[in-house]
Structures are given as C-alpha cells and as structure tokens.
Amino acid sequence: MSNKYLIANWKMQLSIGESRSLALELAERLASTRTDWSVAVCPSGPALSQVAESVRGSDLLLGAQNSFWEDRGAYTGEVSPANLKELGCSLCLVGHSERREYLGETDEMVGRKVAALLARNIMPVICVGETENERDDGRSEEVIVRQLTSALADADCRSSDGQRLIVVYEPIWMIGSGRTIELEDVTASAQLIRSTLNELCTAAAADRFCTVAYGGSVDAVNLSGFLSCPGIDGALVGGDSLTADNFMGLLEIASRS
Ligand code: 13P
C-alpha cells in the first residue's frame, strides 16, 4: 500500500443505502484505475458494516469517523476499537474539529483514542488545525503543536518498527467554506507538523511511518495545488467525496501529481 492517502469523510451526509452503493461503485471503479495512492472511505458508524461488505476483497480501505479508547465496558453509545477491527477498519479519524466543537472531544481524549487505535493496529488519522480567531490572533502554530503533542502523548511512536499514522492539517475556517488558503501557509503548517513529529517520534520513525495530509474544501480545482506543497502526501475530503464522479476525479488528479 502506498503512503499517499486520499480519504473520504462522508460525515453524517448519507443514508446507509447511499453509503453502500457509493462504496460499491468506488470499489469497482478503483479496480480499473491505475494509481499508486491508497484510497479510503469513512462512512457514518451505522453504515460501517454494510460498507465493509461493499469493499470486501477490493483495494478500497474502510475507515471509521470515531472510536472510543476502551475495548469493552459500560460506555453507552460508544464504539470500541475492537469492534472497528472486527468490522475490518484499517483507519479511523481522530479529533476531527466537528467532534471537538460539538461533542466536547478534548486533546486528552484524542490522545487516549490514538493510543487505543494503535494498540489495535488501526491507523489513526489525527486532525489538527486552528479556528479563524486563532489564526487572526497569530496562534495557529501554537494550536497545531499543542493538538499534535497531546494526540501522541500516550502513543509509543519512537520505535523503529512503528505503525503508520496520518496527521491531517485541517484549518477549521476552510472546512466546508469554499474559501482559499495560501499554499505557503499549507506548506508552513506541513513543515511544522513534520518537525513536531520528528521530535515526538524521532526523525527516522516520523520519516518512515507518518503521512501528513491536507483537509478543508478540497476540490478538483485546488487539489493539485495542495499536493504540490512540500510535505503534503494526502487529502481528507468532505463535500467532494459524496459522489463517485467527484471523488474518482480527485483520485485521477492525485495520481497525476
Ligand atoms: P470539506 O471537504 O467539505 O470542506 O470537509 C473537510 C473535512 O472536514 C474533512 O474531514
């Protein structure tokens, strides 16, 4: 599997039937697409088992949008990494800004989730990024470093036979907004994430096991620009991942980049 990742975050946008059909179509189209990219879909929790059936035997990876940190216990409404593993999830989003904002997910919770996912051999896709106010106050760097440091606080990522993880730079003011961001700013954040990973994991482990991606209003017009930023080797896509034509179009662009 390539270390470059195109990941669909379907959020809570599709019915279970729609998720199953879209996954089936993507899996079929992926089979006849030449690409060196790894491609994943993250359906909503209730759609996971049907999408797991749709992608079985294909190259399309299954991801979850959230996980709890314990494998079993009295945690009403939560989903365990063990269950995600049983379903065939290869990866799981952690610390998405929508969960931080609406569900009260803290830096500490993100750290526990990352460690639990790594323990189950599920690749964490850690989302970091600043709000518009934080950016205006010149606090973007501080926020990114704090979120990333907490996310890896409980993880052992210094080992030379470590597990892969993805860090997504998702500036919150770019999500679903259709706004533009300077590519120099994306590059600067990617480099900050890389240097922080070098410190937290050792440079050798970070180089080998960590992928840095961009997310926030990714579309067919701006994707190649984001992928041209040094240090960016992936994209996390919301709105433009909801139809097979749009998402496969993004994969075509990524594969040419
Ligand atoms: P959009 O691509 O719709 O801006 O969503 C980005 C996102 O939040 C992906 O996780």
Side-chain angles (χ1 to χ4, degrees):
M1 278 284 164
S2 155
N3 295 331
K4 296 185 285 188
Y5 284 84
L6 184 65
I7 304 172
N9 177 6
W10 292 344
K11 306 193 179 185
M12 207 178 69
Q13 304 282 20
L14 300 175
S15 71
I16 294 175
E18 287 165 344
S19 304
R20 188 188 53 217
S21 313
L22 181 52
L24 267 179
E25 185 172 354
L26 290 173
E28 260 175 44
R29 289 173 65 167
L30 187 57
S32 55
T33 301
R34 284 170 65 95
T35 184
D36 60 346
W37 278 63
S38 298
V39 185
V41 293
C42 302
S44 63
L48 274 171
S49 63
Q50 294 218 16
V51 172
E53 290 302 319
S54 303
V55 305
R56 181 155 297 146
S58 79
D59 287 336
L60 189 57
L61 300 171
L62 181 65
Q65 296 178 15
N66 181 40
S67 163
F68 195 57
W69 53 80
E70 297 288 348
D71 268 344
R72 193 179 282 263
Y75 303 105
T76 303
E78 286 301 329
V79 178
S80 71
N83 280 180
L84 296 181
K85 194 73 195 174
E86 271 184 282
L87 282 167
C89 288
S90 314
L91 50 101
C92 181
L93 308 184
V94 197
H96 192 282
S97 59
E98 287 150 14
R99 293 201 56 82
R100 293 181 194 261
E101 182 180 353
Y102 305 126
L103 282 306
E105 198 154 299
T106 63
D107 287 340
E108 194 219 332
M109 290 157 80
V110 171
R112 295 176 81 171
K113 291 177 180 203
V114 168
L117 289 165
L118 287 170
R120 279 281 165 192
N121 211 6
I122 298 172
M123 180 166 56
V125 180
I126 303 163
C127 302
V128 299
E130 77 284 357
T131 63
E132 185 153 35
N133 281 345
E134 288 164 341
R135 179 185 68 138
D136 293 346
D137 292 348
R139 294 180 49 222
S140 304
E141 294 189 0
E142 171 202 323
V143 170
I144 291 168
V145 171
R146 189 201 73 225
Q147 289 179 338
L148 187 50
T149 306
S150 306
L152 294 179
D154 300 327
D156 173 19
C157 57
R158 303 184 76 83
S159 143
S160 59
D161 60 349
Q163 293 165 259
R164 178 149 293 279
L165 57 87
I166 301 177
V167 180
V168 188
Y169 173 52
E170 279 211 318
I172 295 168
W173 50 278
M174 280 297 294
I175 295 177
S177 68
R179 291 169 67 177
T180 51
I181 180 169
E182 297 297 328
L183 294 182
E184 299 82 71
D185 292 343
V186 174
T187 300
S189 296
Q191 283 169 358
L192 177 66
I193 289 168
R194 278 255 154 239
S195 62
T196 308
L197 286 169
N198 287 349
E199 278 173 35
L200 296 170
C201 305
T202 76
D207 201 41
R208 226 171 125 200
F209 302 119
C210 302
T211 295
V212 181
Y214 170 81
S217 292
V218 168
D219 61 26
V221 174
N222 60 26
L223 178 60
S224 56
F226 292 133
L227 297 180
S228 74
C229 295
I232 295 288
D233 288 309
L236 178 59
V237 188
D240 248 27
S241 72
L242 296 173
T243 68
D245 284 347
N246 284 355
F247 194 58
M248 291 307 291
L250 294 181
L251 179 60
E252 228 174 85
I253 292 165
S255 305
R256 284 198 305 263
S257 70

